[in-house]
Each structure stands twice: as C-alpha cells, then as structure tokens.
Amino acid sequence: MASREKRLSSEIADLAAVINTAACDVNRWSDVAQAVQDFIPGSKILFQVVEEESTAVHQVVHSGFNNKTIQAYGDYYWKVNPWTKGANEMHMSSFKSSSDLYPEKLLWQTEFFTDFVDHERECDAATALKFAAHKERYALLAVHHDFRHHQQMHARGKALLQTLVPALRSALEVNRLTNPTFHLSGGRGLIDQLVDPAIVLDPDCRLLASNAPANKLLADARVLRVKARDIVEMRNVEASAAFARLVRDSCAILQDRARPNDLIVNARSGSYTVTCVPMAIDQTNALPAGLLSIFAPRTVAMVIVRPHAPEDRSALIGELRLHFGLTKAEVSLILEFERGGTLSEIAERVGVSRSTIQTHLKAIFAKTGTTRQRDVVTLVTRHRALRKQFFLEDS
C-alpha cells in the first residue's frame, strides 16, 4: 500500500514537472495532455478554451483523439455539444462527470453522439475540470473514456486532477505574463508603417503592441506611460480616467454606435490629439498558441497620438470668466497655477509682486468656492474634461 502511494506521488510530481514546462513554453501544453493520458490508461484528453455565447471555437489541445475528429469538432460539432451548457454552469475548480453535465440516455439520441462521438469510440463519457477563467472565457480539461468503465475512470481522473488545479492555473498565468495574447492580423505592417506614435491596447488598457515612435513617447512618459502589469495611463488622474473610458468604449463599439470623440491633451512637450480606433481580432487565425486564447481580446483599440494645434487660450479664458465671474487677470493666474511653482516663482514669471498674486488668489477662492491652490487647478482640469481637453502636469 505504501509502495503504491509512493509511486502515485512520484507520478504526480512528474506530471507537475511537465506542467511547469508548459508554463515556460505555451507550445508544450500538448505534452501535458499526453502526460495526463499516460497517467490514466484508456483515456483521451482534451483541453479547451470555452467562450459563453461564442460564435467561434477556440483552439483545443488534445491527446489520443484522431486529428480528423478534432477538425470535425472545430468545423461544426462544438455548436451542438450537449455537454457545453452544463460546463458553463460549473463552479471554478469543480469536477463534473459527463452524466452530470447531460444524461446518457439523452446523449445517445443526439446528432453529437450518433454522428460524432460514436465514430471516435471509447470517448462517450468524461470527467470535466474547469480550472481557470478570464472574463467570458474559461479553460476546461476533459478526461474522456469508455462509458463502460465510467465509475472507475472518473474516480481515478478526479483523484489526479484535484491535485493539479493550482499547477494548471499557475502555468496559464505565467503564460499570460510572458507571452503576447494576440497577433495582429496580417502581421505588424500596419502599426509599424504609421508615422505617428501608435499603440494597441486591450479593453483594460494593457499594452499589446507599439511602434517605434510610440516607444519613444512611452519612454519619455510626459503624455503616456506604462505602469505595473503593462497598463498604459496618462499623467493626470482625470485625464487617465478619460483615456481609460475612451479605450474601453472603443473596444465595446458596435456598428450602430458612434465612435468615441478624440481626446486633446496639453503637455509641456506640446499638444496632442489622441484617437482610438477599434480593431476586431480574428478569432480563428489570429489567436495565440496553447491555451492563451483564454486571455485573447475579441476587440482591441489602436491608439494614435498626433500633434494638435495649441490650445485656444482665449476661448478657455472666456469660458472660465463667464462660468465663475473671474477677471481676465484672475483666469490668467489660474492657468499659471497649472504650470506649477510657488507663489514667488509665479509672480516672477508673470512680472508682478507676490502680494498682487495673493490678492488675486483670495478673489479666486471666493469666486470658485475653493480654499486651496490645488483645488483651483482641479476645477480647470474638470472644465477641460468637458471639452475633452487635459493639461498634463510634470511630477
């Protein structure tokens, strides 16, 4: 008994080592499928990324199945798979037998069984494990076997798989962090040929690709910068929030929905127009290898940053004067506040005394209902936000 447990522990350790290899190389998930099949004789293994409400089938990784069977599944039979509905309803890290997903007596009467499963043979039952999820997609591992040996095979499959859930999930996360999660259709020709800085972002503003001009812009970090987990943002908090909304709305765009307006940002290095163009990703030919399609976005945003004509300060001054009842001198002083510096430094820049600056500041506080210089700048930032314009401060 002790010898059997020792052998089982050794086999599980070997299988975990294969999973770790797949973590480092997305093309090695087929080795994981083969190792699971070797561990459970008489089985056929299928890894699949499933998308609820899907209009296309994602890649599958398999071992033991005939290649023609997998091709037929991808061409048609995934659409009529009666096990899918039950798999969609499974909880994360849970196990289900195929009979729990769909009763055998009903299965045997379906087109899926008579025209597909029965031809492959010895795969009319299965143990399913849902081990990872991302947004509307999840990763499923199915250990298929002959229904005549269902109870024995299900027990062995469940005993094995429940020890491997953490390793499978960790391997997939390492894949995501170390590999591109999509490929531009037709290659990088389009983005690389653009003269203006261009980046490709997923709906969460995660950087997926960039051209040479964009790399310089991101390195400079005065307009856009890359933060933890490759998230792209702007320097100003409110501008960054507006940028995130622009990207998210662009990725969610429908044919009957207007494209979001451009953003205009004003930085010390110049003024820029930020344009977001939605790009649909080919869900059959442009997906990444292995199981990475669980993370691949259906739509991405190409963000193009172009020089913009300098801000019309006279129009902004007029709007602020009208809105808050400010004098022209007071509005000009507020715009100086955006540039930063102490009251003495600002006084020197505009050529007046510090006491004059203090007098104007008290009047500005009274008219705008603020009590701090920083609050005044925030008011102007919010006003610019209404006009889709932002001033990016240096930190």
Side-chain angles (χ1 to χ4, degrees):
M1 186 70 176
S3 176
R4 180 181 178 184
E5 292 179 353
K6 185 177 180 180
R7 184 174 66 255
L8 178 63
S9 178
S10 176
E11 291 174 343
I12 290 176
D14 291 342
L15 186 50
V18 178
I19 294 173
N20 290 338
T21 301
C24 301
D25 183 352
V26 295
N27 296 304
R28 300 293 295 274
W29 279 98
S30 57
D31 293 346
V32 178
Q34 179 67 60
V36 175
Q37 185 189 17
D38 292 343
F39 190 89
I40 309 176
S43 67
K44 298 183 179 185
I45 308 303
L46 185 71
F47 283 99
Q48 184 182 358
V49 172
V50 181
E51 180 174 351
E52 298 180 28
E53 308 298 331
S54 179
T55 58
V57 64
H58 298 288
Q59 306 105 310
V60 296
V61 177
H62 63 95
S63 181
F65 284 94
N66 187 294
N67 287 333
K68 290 184 178 180
T69 299
I70 298 300
Q71 182 64 46
Y73 182 74
D75 290 342
Y76 172 72
Y77 287 100
W78 67 274
K79 301 176 185 178
V80 294
N81 184 348
W83 289 321
T84 299
K85 184 176 184 297
N88 288 345
E89 297 170 352
M90 288 174 61
H91 297 297
M92 191 53 53
S93 302
S94 65
F95 298 85
K96 290 283 187 180
S97 69
S98 53
S99 57
D100 293 328
L101 298 178
Y102 198 77
E104 290 88 4
K105 291 184 179 181
L106 295 179
L107 173 70
W108 297 334
Q109 301 173 24
T110 65
E111 172 191 11
F112 180 77
F113 179 83
T114 57
D115 294 349
F116 177 66
V117 173
D118 197 38
H119 288 275
E120 174 67 21
R121 299 186 180 281
E122 299 182 344
C123 68
D124 53 347
T127 298
L129 164 65
K130 182 186 285 189
F131 66 91
H134 180 74
K135 296 186 176 179
E136 71 279 6
R137 295 176 184 163
Y138 61 87
L140 190 75
L141 167 57
V143 179
H144 287 264
H145 48 260
D146 192 321
F147 178 75
R148 293 171 297 177
H149 311 296
H150 179 54
Q151 289 188 340
Q152 176 185 355
M153 297 291 283
H154 178 66
R156 181 169 175 78
K158 184 175 180 181
L160 166 67
L161 298 181
Q162 64 186 2
T163 67
L164 298 177
V165 171
L168 290 170
R169 189 174 296 150
S170 296
L172 198 52
E173 181 64 15
V174 172
N175 285 168
R176 186 184 72 82
L177 294 174
T178 56
N179 293 274
T181 55
F182 90 115
H183 301 290
L184 286 171
S185 301
R188 291 180 50 91
L190 173 62
I191 188 173
D192 284 337
Q193 289 176 19
L194 289 174
V195 175
D196 294 317
I199 59 178
V200 179
L201 304 177
D202 73 5
D204 298 319
C205 287
R206 183 168 181 255
L207 181 63
L208 302 175
S210 57
N211 63 5
N215 292 337
K216 294 181 180 179
L217 187 71
L218 293 170
D220 180 69
R222 294 186 181 182
V223 178
L224 295 172
R225 58 186 178 185
V226 182
K227 301 293 286 185
R229 301 179 69 86
D230 292 333
I231 300 299
V232 176
E233 66 175 22
M234 291 187 171
R235 297 181 64 89
N236 177 285
V237 174
E238 294 195 18
S240 194
F243 177 71
R245 286 194 300 272
L246 175 66
V247 172
R248 183 175 60 250
D249 291 346
S250 295
C251 290
I253 196 168
L254 301 175
Q255 290 184 352
D256 59 349
R257 181 176 172 184
R259 183 178 66 82
N261 293 329
D262 296 341
L263 294 184
I264 299 172
V265 297
N266 302 288
R268 290 186 182 278
S269 55
S271 295
Y272 304 90
T273 298
V274 179
T275 301
C276 227
V277 181
M279 297 174 59
I281 300 301
D282 185 344
Q283 296 294 297
T284 56
N285 298 320
L287 290 172
L291 301 179
L292 268 176
S293 59
I294 190 174
F295 302 114
R298 300 185 67 173
T299 307
V300 297
M302 178 179 288
V303 178
I304 304 171
V305 182
R306 296 170 289 130
H308 180 75
E311 178 186 32
D312 185 353
R313 289 173 64 90
S314 61
L316 179 61
I317 289 173
E319 291 173 10
L320 292 174
R321 290 186 64 186
L322 181 64
H323 191 77
F324 295 107
L326 299 164
T327 67
K328 185 175 180 179
E330 290 165 352
V331 174
S332 298
L333 182 58
I334 290 175
L335 298 181
E336 286 295 325
F337 289 161
E338 285 190 307
R339 296 178 58 189
T342 64
L343 292 184
S344 297
E345 291 170 339
I346 294 173
E348 184 177 350
R349 283 205 305 262
V350 300
V352 299
S353 67
R354 190 177 189 278
S355 61
T356 299
I357 296 295
Q358 289 176 319
T359 299
H360 284 317
L361 186 56
K362 289 180 181 178
I364 291 170
F365 285 160
K367 293 177 181 180
T368 60
T370 55
T371 57
R372 296 183 303 172
Q373 184 175 325
R374 178 67 186 176
D375 295 337
V376 176
V377 174
T378 300
L379 280 179
V380 179
T381 300
R382 290 175 179 170
H383 188 81
R384 275 196 172 94
L386 297 176
R387 309 168 77 226
K388 297 292 184 180
Q389 294 195 24
F390 299 90
F391 190 94
L392 305 183
E393 303 174 23
D394 288 333
S395 56

